[in-house]
Amino acid sequence: MNNDKTLAAASAAFPIVGIGASAGGLTALEQFLAHVPPQCGLAVVVVQHRDPHSEGMLVELLQRHTPMPVLQALDQMPVEPEHVYVIPPGWDLSLMHGVLHLFEPTETRGLRQPIDFFFKSLADDRQHNSIGVILSGMGSDGTLGLRAIRQAGGASFAQTPATAQFDSMPRSAIDADVVDAVAPADELPAKIIAFVKRIRLVGDVQAQVEAEFQRTAASFLDKILVLLCTHTGHDFSAYKKNTIMRRVERRMGLHQLPRIDDYLRYVRENPKEIELLLGELLIGVTSFFRDTEVWEQVKTEVLPALRANHPDGALLRAWIPACSTGEETYSLAMLFRESLDDAKPAQRYKLLIFASDLDKDAIARARAGVYPESISADVSAARLKRFFTPEAAGYRVSNEIREMVIFAEQNVIVDPPFTRIDLLSCRNLLIYLEAGLQERLLQLFHYSLAPGGYLLLGSSESVGAASALFSGLPGRSRIYRRLDVPTPALPSGMPSFGQTGSRLAAMAPAGQGASVSTPDVQARVEQLVLTQYAPAAVLVNNKGEMLYFSGKTGKYLEPAVGKPNLNLFVMARDGLKQALGEAFYRAVRENRSATLRRVRIDSARPAQHVDVVVQPLSEPVALSGTALIVFRDVPAPGPRRPRVAMDTVASEGQRVAVVLQELQHAREDARSTREEMQTSQEELKSTNEELQSTNEELQATNEELTTSKEEMQSMNEELQIINNELRLKVAEVSRASNDMRNLLDSTEIAILFLDDDLKVRRFMPSTAKLFKLIPGDAGRTITDIVCDLDYADLAADARDVLRTLVFKETDVSATDGRWFRVRIMPYRTQDNRIDGLVMTFADISASKRLEVELRQAQARLQALAAGSGSEGLGHGLP
């Protein structure tokens, strides 16, 4: 009920889009946000790899490309639709109940996975309303987070790697098969909005499917299950209908199909969709050391108890059905190895893990044992160093752990199970199955477990009706111990557990035809002599591998049972094998011929005696390094005469001498063998020490390279964002400079900038009309430059302004009759520091002309007025 309420609350909430990118993904972010409509009903959270010590301008830069408000995320900030939130530098971001929470990172820089951290919380909080997007970036951060979003029923998108400035992050997600759609950054918003419109019809679609399921026996879901069974051979009829319905509805949303009939038609027309739907149903919910408390209890309680059941040592067996991509399997193997290291005294225990799954692609990835760098969020640094090998693609599981696991494709419902199992871990499989099938599988697990074995289930699972077969361990973990009771009779549909099948591949040697030519008489005679009179022989290399047969060697050699093997010592018949091996290695070591006399071949009836000559070859050069083994039949020794009293003492002495000679030869062989073993042991010890030293050096070099790579990657990302910021700053400065130039040109005011020593620093082009200035005059004193102004006190006034910091303004005439208003002001910087002078020269010739004309007109008026007054005064006289 609680899960249903959670799902209902999540479905009623608005979708949240989480975007993951590195510092070099600014361009992709701008392209994405520029195509998101402001009335989309979505909230966008941007998680970027950023320098924790850099303030940055990401919020300001993104705000220029979207009308939606762009905010830097704060702790406990509620998420609102049609807003963009940006992670602050140096923090991890999480989401719970629609509220953002900031956490101080626990991992060192370079090992952090902030995108995975947020995506996982987004999947938990929003369920099918969670949307993950991976844009340009370096590394593999975000891959595990997208898997969590898909498992929760959400949608995952990635930028097309070819359009990304750094394609590592989107390519990692695509290679992990956790991406629903791939498109350029500017096309992703349209795909996301189409998906959101589809998921808003969840209730209507479920009601339609429910009504159709109730109305007709051949319902929509039944048809889908039939198609799945027909094309894949797997029957999902015992899976929970709600689970299948959610997966089907998600596929409908991705294809933008509004009606279930449309999707059914699409499935029939596109068989590839069946494979994709199968992948949706088989999505594995797994990660390394998921539910830490469970694994801690396995390490501290379960594994010690299993060792206690076998105090003399044993081969422990574990089975993990539905192992997915192998994270849980390798987690158990690592725990077992650590548990053995803690056990004192060390005892002889081994663990063999059978890991099976229905998904062949997941099994293939598990066998490869290669995982992205983002697993560092789940695996400690000590375990990464001990159990993994760094590679370009991420981390590869070490051979020490890999050799403990056998992966197999298996349908746990119908295929025969593994038996005599000490630990069986089946987590998060039963929750997808109907109650009847759950009970059958629990009975199967009881049958598979050895007495005293343990069963590990997921946090949402329990033994339920099979509680009589298992006893739970104390604690919240779902760990059960097998009770020693008879396994109930299983339904007839289950497999016959007493039988196991195996497929053996037979390998037959391919026939090789020999070309036959027509020989001449000499060749025929030589062939006849070799066949009839020459002894049988075989040519071998220094390892005993046969290169050529001459004559009939079947009396001395015979093929071994099994895979064809042309080794001399494997094919030698009984009685010949040991003696031939000693003679061969002695001859090769000493580079001289060795002969064996009257060797008895026991497998022949009657017994055959043969002399064997081992001849190392050095000539011709083509045969150098090989040896020729020649077999010559000799008659069997005659029957021994009965011992009589007349035997002489001499014959007894001869027999004793022969025995002593054979004993001496045996001692020499033993001494030679012992010397060879000692020499080989010393050489191996020296080689091992060199290899250990080389391995340590390589490990140190690898760690240094890994650290350097992380630092370079981080520095490169920082440089990218700084470069973007500087590029925008330069564009702003250039635009401001153009505005200022146009403004000054429009005023037609000449401007001259001087430093504290009255040297020319910069000038406007119009200033060159007053002062004879050229670009090379920068740095010259203003008094050394010819000026058209009649302003002798220019330098004195300039120094006075520098001294008093009070501007001066005066009108000055030029040699050509023009007038200029000269204004001398101090040059102030932004920090209020005086750094020279600014002189402006405004052309006031027009106003001066008007002033002169005004004065002349005024004088004429005054003269007229004066003339009129004197005339009137004259007329008034008597």
Side-chain angles (χ1 to χ4, degrees):
M1 291 297 294
N2 291 335
N3 289 337
D4 295 338
K5 292 180 180 179
T6 302
L7 290 174
S11 63
F14 56 89
I16 295 179
V17 180
I19 302 179
S22 69
L26 178 61
T27 302
L29 283 171
E30 293 173 348
Q31 294 174 351
F32 183 93
L33 291 177
H35 289 80
V36 178
Q39 305 299 326
C40 59
L42 305 175
V44 180
V45 180
V46 178
V47 181
Q48 191 183 35
H49 297 158
R50 303 176 66 183
D51 181 7
H53 305 293
S54 173
E55 291 298 331
M57 301 173 57
L58 186 59
V59 173
E60 293 80 0
L61 295 176
L62 295 182
Q63 185 65 78
R64 299 171 181 171
H65 298 272
T66 177
M68 295 187 296
V70 181
L71 308 172
Q72 182 163 287
L74 302 176
D75 192 29
Q76 297 185 359
M77 173 182 283
V79 177
E80 299 180 11
E82 299 169 3
H83 283 64
V84 180
Y85 301 89
V86 178
I87 185 173
W91 293 89
D92 282 340
L93 186 64
S94 180
L95 180 72
M96 184 175 183
H97 302 313
V99 177
L100 296 174
H101 298 273
L102 298 179
F103 294 90
E104 293 185 3
T106 57
E107 297 83 1
T108 58
R109 192 179 176 195
L111 298 177
R112 292 177 53 206
Q113 305 292 335
I115 301 175
D116 281 331
F117 186 78
F118 176 74
F119 279 8
K120 290 177 181 178
S121 67
L122 175 62
D124 293 337
D125 190 68
R126 276 304 194 263
Q127 297 293 315
H128 66 269
N129 276 318
S130 58
I131 300 171
V133 180
I134 292 295
L135 300 180
S136 172
M138 301 179 65
S140 60
D141 192 12
T143 300
L144 297 181
L146 287 186
R147 177 177 286 118
I149 288 175
R150 288 193 68 191
Q151 291 167 359
S156 55
F157 301 84
Q159 182 181 3
T160 304
T163 65
Q165 188 172 3
F166 301 101
D167 63 354
S168 298
M169 281 172 48
R171 192 173 297 280
S172 173
I174 294 170
D175 293 343
D177 196 21
V178 295
V179 177
D180 293 315
V182 180
D186 54 353
E187 297 179 10
L188 287 175
K191 294 183 176 294
I192 293 173
I193 291 173
F195 173 77
V196 170
K197 289 180 180 178
R198 183 66 191 83
I199 64 175
R200 285 171 178 167
L201 302 176
V202 170
D204 297 338
V205 171
Q206 288 182 345
Q208 184 182 1
V209 173
E210 188 93 15
E212 186 171 351
F213 182 80
Q214 297 294 335
R215 184 172 61 253
T216 173
S219 67
F220 164 70
L221 285 181
D222 286 340
K223 294 175 183 177
I224 291 294
L225 295 177
V226 168
L227 291 175
L228 277 171
C229 186
T230 302
H231 286 82
T232 67
H234 302 308
D235 183 8
F236 287 89
S237 59
Y239 275 54
K240 290 182 178 178
K241 298 301 183 292
N242 290 337
T243 301
I244 300 176
M245 199 165 12
R246 284 197 300 269
R247 300 303 182 188
V248 168
E249 194 281 331
R250 184 176 179 278
R251 297 302 305 173
M252 293 172 63
L254 291 173
H255 293 300
Q256 304 176 33
L257 298 174
R259 300 176 63 253
I260 56 177
D261 292 337
D262 297 335
Y263 181 71
L264 187 60
R265 186 181 306 106
Y266 180 82
V267 169
R268 299 189 65 182
E269 294 174 353
N270 299 273
K272 183 64 177 177
E273 177 64 18
I274 287 290
E275 298 293 334
L276 297 176
L277 180 57
L278 176 64
E280 293 279 350
L281 295 174
L282 296 180
I283 286 180
V285 184
T286 183
S287 62
F288 283 99
F289 300 101
R290 186 167 52 94
D291 298 335
T292 309
E293 300 82 2
V294 176
W295 290 109
E296 187 64 27
Q297 189 173 1
V298 170
K299 181 178 180 180
T300 58
E301 297 183 25
V302 176
L303 293 180
L306 291 178
R307 293 200 305 269
N309 292 342
H310 306 278
D312 298 329
L315 174 63
L316 302 178
R317 294 160 60 90
W319 179 23
I320 302 182
C323 68
S324 188
T325 50
E327 287 90 336
E328 183 174 350
T329 305
Y330 291 127
S331 298
L332 176 60
M334 287 185 276
L335 275 187
F336 178 78
R337 178 56 55 193
E338 293 174 349
S339 177
L340 282 188
D341 294 342
D342 297 339
K344 295 180 181 180
Q347 297 170 332
R348 296 182 178 179
Y349 291 99
K350 292 184 178 180
L351 177 65
L352 180 61
I353 304 177
F354 302 99
S356 61
D357 197 276
L358 188 63
D359 189 351
K360 60 182 179 181
D361 294 332
I363 287 293
R365 290 197 293 271
R367 283 199 183 104
V370 178
Y371 298 94
E373 295 178 353
S374 53
I375 65 171
S376 58
D378 301 318
V379 184
S380 65
R383 284 171 173 160
L384 282 176
K385 183 177 181 181
R386 178 178 179 184
F387 299 119
F388 291 85
T389 303
E391 291 189 353
Y395 294 97
R396 181 182 294 274
V397 179
S398 64
N399 290 335
E400 176 190 13
I401 298 300
R402 179 63 185 83
E403 291 172 354
M404 299 168 61
V405 184
I406 297 176
F407 290 101
E409 185 179 348
Q410 181 198 42
N411 188 339
V412 69
I413 299 174
V414 298
D415 291 338
F418 298 95
T419 57
R420 296 181 293 108
I421 299 300
D422 297 289
L423 175 60
L424 196 156
S425 176
C426 182
R427 306 176 69 194
N428 297 320
L429 170 64
L430 300 182
I431 57 175
Y432 298 111
L433 307 178
E434 299 288 353
L437 185 56
Q438 289 184 19
E439 184 177 356
R440 291 163 59 191
L441 283 180
L442 288 171
Q443 294 173 3
L444 180 145
F445 294 159
H446 185 269
Y447 170 84
S448 299
L449 285 170
Y454 289 87
L455 172 65
L456 176 58
L457 298 179
S459 58
S460 301
E461 300 169 331
S462 65
V463 294
S467 57
L469 304 177
F470 300 94
S471 174
L473 268 62
R476 295 186 300 174
S477 301
R478 304 291 184 170
I479 303 179
Y480 301 87
R481 186 183 180 110
R482 180 188 188 273
L483 297 178
D484 192 12
V485 296
T487 302
L490 296 174
S492 58
M494 298 301 287
S496 175
F497 304 138
Q499 301 174 356
T500 57
S502 63
R503 293 189 292 254
L504 300 177
M507 182 181 298
Q512 205 171 19
S515 61
V516 180
S517 61
T518 305
D520 55 11
V521 175
Q522 179 183 356
R524 288 179 179 274
V525 172
E526 291 176 353
Q527 182 67 30
L528 180 63
V529 171
L530 287 174
T531 304
Q532 299 295 331
Y533 302 101
V538 61
L539 183 70
V540 300
N541 61 15
N542 57 2
K543 296 181 180 179
E545 297 173 351
M546 287 176 279
L547 306 175
Y548 181 77
F549 295 90
S550 177
K552 298 180 179 180
T553 59
K555 293 187 296 183
Y556 322 108
L557 306 173
E558 63 176 350
V561 176
K563 184 179 180 180
N565 193 334
L566 294 181
N567 188 276
L568 174 66
F569 312 111
V570 174
M571 294 184 63
R573 291 183 179 270
D574 293 340
L576 182 61
K577 185 177 301 184
Q578 181 177 2
L580 181 60
E582 295 174 356
F584 176 80
Y585 287 114
R586 184 169 66 251
V588 172
R589 182 177 65 252
E590 299 176 359
N591 196 24
R592 66 180 184 179
S593 176
T595 303
L596 298 174
R597 301 292 184 183
R598 293 187 181 276
V599 180
R600 177 187 174 95
I601 301 178
D602 297 329
S603 60
R605 291 292 182 269
Q608 176 68 41
H609 292 76
V610 62
D611 288 348
V612 182
V613 178
V614 182
Q615 178 63 55
L617 302 178
S618 56
E619 295 181 355
V621 179
L623 298 180
S624 178
T626 62
L628 186 65
I629 315 297
V630 181
F631 304 95
R632 291 191 179 93
D633 291 340
V634 296
R640 301 182 62 181
R641 293 176 296 172
R643 182 174 299 181
V644 295
M646 299 302 295
D647 287 345
T648 62
V649 176
S651 61
E652 291 288 346
Q654 291 176 356
R655 287 194 294 271
V656 171
V658 171
V659 173
L660 291 177
Q661 185 179 6
E662 293 178 352
L663 180 60
Q664 181 65 24
H665 289 163
R667 288 176 176 174
E668 290 178 358
D669 290 341
R671 179 177 56 81
S672 177
T673 303
R674 185 168 58 253
E675 291 176 354
E676 291 178 3
M677 291 180 62
Q678 290 176 351
T679 303
S680 300
Q681 185 177 6
E682 292 175 357
E683 293 177 354
L684 289 174
K685 185 182 298 183
S686 176
T687 303
N688 184 47
E689 292 175 355
E690 293 177 0
L691 290 175
Q692 287 180 347
S693 176
T694 303
N695 185 43
E696 292 175 355
E697 293 176 0
L698 289 175
Q699 286 181 347
T701 304
N702 186 43
E703 292 176 357
E704 293 176 359
L705 289 175
T706 302
T707 303
S708 300
K709 176 186 175 183
E710 294 172 353
E711 293 176 354
M712 291 295 293
Q713 177 177 330
S714 176
M715 186 179 300
N716 186 40
E717 293 176 352
E718 295 173 11
L719 290 175
Q720 285 290 331
I721 192 168
I722 292 174
N723 183 52
N724 288 328
E725 294 176 359
L726 291 178
R727 176 174 56 81
L728 295 174
K729 281 288 187 182
V730 169
E732 292 177 358
V733 171
S734 178
R735 187 160 48 253
S737 177
N738 293 332
D739 294 344
M740 184 60 67
R741 180 177 296 276
N742 283 276
L743 173 63
L744 295 176
D745 289 343
S746 65
T747 61
E748 297 182 352
I749 298 176
I751 302 177
L752 177 64
F753 297 92
L754 305 177
D755 61 11
D756 293 339
D757 297 327
L758 303 186
K759 293 180 179 180
V760 177
R761 178 182 294 164
R762 190 177 295 107
F763 57 88
M764 295 292 295
S766 57
T767 311
K769 298 177 180 179
L770 299 176
F771 295 84
K772 306 305 182 183
L773 288 170
I774 61 175
D777 288 335
R780 294 181 59 190
T781 307
I782 188 64
T783 57
D784 296 339
I785 299 174
V786 177
C787 177
D788 291 342
L789 297 176
D790 186 11
Y791 193 3
D793 297 332
L794 176 64
D797 289 348
R799 292 189 180 93
D800 191 48
V801 170
L802 280 174
R803 181 177 56 82
T804 63
L805 302 182
V806 177
F807 76 91
K808 285 192 175 183
E809 187 175 81
T810 182
D811 296 342
V812 181
S813 64
T815 56
D816 57 357
R818 291 181 299 165
W819 283 82
F820 293 88
R821 178 161 295 166
V822 181
R823 186 180 180 90
I824 306 176
M825 297 178 296
Y827 182 97
R828 294 180 182 273
T829 63
Q830 288 186 351
D831 53 355
N832 200 25
R833 184 171 58 86
I834 303 301
D835 189 18
L837 296 172
V838 180
M839 293 185 179
T840 61
F841 304 88
D843 191 345
I844 59 173
S845 300
S847 61
K848 281 292 185 180
R849 286 195 299 270
L850 292 175
E851 182 181 352
V852 171
E853 292 175 358
L854 180 62
R855 287 177 179 174
Q856 291 175 353
Q858 186 178 4
R860 286 195 300 271
L861 290 174
Q862 289 177 353
L864 290 174
S868 300
S870 60
E871 183 180 353
L873 182 61
H875 285 295
L877 293 175

